[in-house]
Amino acid sequence: DTEVTQTPKHLVMGMTNKKSLKCEQHMGHRAMYWYKQKAKKPPELMFVYSYEKLSINESVPSRFSPECPNSSLLNLHLHALQPEDSALYLCASSQEWAQGSPLHFGNGTRLTVT
Amino acid sequence: KQEVTQIPAALSVPEGENLVLNCSFTDSAIYNLQWFRQDPGKGLTSLLLIQSSQREQTSGRLNASLDKSSGRSTLYIAASQPGDSATYLCAVRSGANNLFFGTGTRLTVIP
């Protein structure tokens, strides 16, 4: 069982909907990440939070809005998405945003935009 | 920018065989290298982490080696089992502390 929990597991939304993806960890990790993975492709980094502050935004469109309410929670707010945004969205955490800290991934949210 | 390549893209072996998966990276200035396993439609499970100062790591039937100077890592799986069937990804931490993923090797172990 993964120690990073993501909800929901599956999400279908229309292009005018607003929805949120949630991620939770209770390992005391201070860095949290959002990745996007298209079919048969490696994960691509979207955002990094370190000590609840946004540290990296990999030029992600504004229709994706991350939020880190506390050290255990990470949200990804979705609005006005496009069909090409359909993908597996993975959350990860690590002890620190430091070079030696391994990443722990959740099972992801499978998002379909219709 | 760091580029990570995995060969082969797909591999099919009979149960019980030992096998080697390869990972190469273009920039040898790395902090660490991590091997993951991904089952279809699932998240990533960390298998082994090798720090830049280390040469290898072992966990059960898995052994990962790192040759930083040549930009290569291998994942050795001993006595393969059908349950080992999955996609294996290597990822390198380098540059601005980002994690760069390889394209993965899809392994099928035939009973």
Side-chain angles (χ1 to χ4, degrees):
Chain A
D1 285 341
T2 180
E3 296 170 322
V4 177
T5 304
Q6 291 187 243
T7 56
K9 292 183 180 179
H10 302 276
L11 178 63
V12 179
M13 61 185 290
M15 290 187 284
T16 59
N17 292 157
K18 285 185 181 181
K19 297 286 185 182
S20 296
L21 309 185
K22 297 186 183 301
C23 175
E24 190 169 359
Q25 57 86 17
H26 295 288
M27 295 178 282
H29 290 175
R30 303 314 300 267
M32 297 186 77
Y33 311 74
W34 280 115
Y35 282 83
K36 173 182 177 179
Q37 186 178 26
K38 301 284 279 184
K40 299 189 188 303
K41 297 289 188 182
E44 297 177 354
L45 182 65
M46 299 175 72
F47 303 103
V48 179
Y49 273 84
S50 178
Y51 287 86
E52 295 108 72
K53 286 185 170 32
L54 184 63
S55 299
I56 290 181
N57 177 341
E58 289 287 344
S59 302
V60 179
S62 60
R63 58 186 184 270
F64 295 91
S65 176
E67 178 196 20
C68 190
N70 59 57
S71 60
S72 300
L73 293 174
L74 185 66
N75 298 321
L76 186 62
H77 302 298
L78 314 173
H79 173 55
L81 294 193
Q82 303 297 312
E84 59 264 29
D85 296 321
S86 298
L88 181 68
Y89 288 84
L90 295 164
C91 173
S93 69
S94 65
Q95 191 78 30
E96 298 269 348
W97 185 42
Q99 294 85 342
S101 299
L103 267 65
H104 299 257
F105 281 82
N107 281 328
T109 293
R110 173 73 60 189
L111 174 67
T112 302
V113 181
T114 60
Chain B
K1 181 185 174 182
Q2 179 75 267
E3 292 184 9
V4 184
T5 305
Q6 290 185 246
I7 295 173
L11 181 63
S12 185
V13 300
E15 181 178 1
E17 195 164 293
N18 302 327
L19 59 100
V20 175
L21 307 181
N22 297 294
C23 172
S24 61
F25 45 94
T26 54
D27 184 353
S28 61
I30 67 170
Y31 302 121
N32 58 47
L33 184 146
Q34 198 167 355
W35 281 94
F36 294 92
R37 167 191 173 134
Q38 186 172 31
D39 293 291
K42 299 289 188 181
L44 280 66
T45 301
S46 180
L47 298 173
L48 290 164
L49 171 76
I50 310 177
Q51 301 290 355
S52 62
S53 58
Q54 297 175 322
R55 298 283 292 180
E56 67 177 337
Q57 283 287 326
T58 298
S59 176
R61 294 183 293 109
L62 305 179
N63 176 275
S65 67
L66 174 64
D67 184 342
K68 201 172 65 166
S69 61
S70 66
R72 295 180 188 275
S73 176
T74 61
L75 179 67
Y76 174 83
I77 302 177
S80 58
Q81 303 171 357
D84 294 331
S85 298
T87 295
Y88 290 80
L89 294 157
C90 71
V92 171
R93 184 80 76 100
S94 67
N97 206 18
N98 290 339
L99 197 63
F100 296 90
F101 280 90
T103 47
T105 294
R106 190 170 67 255
L107 173 66
T108 303
V109 180
I110 304 167

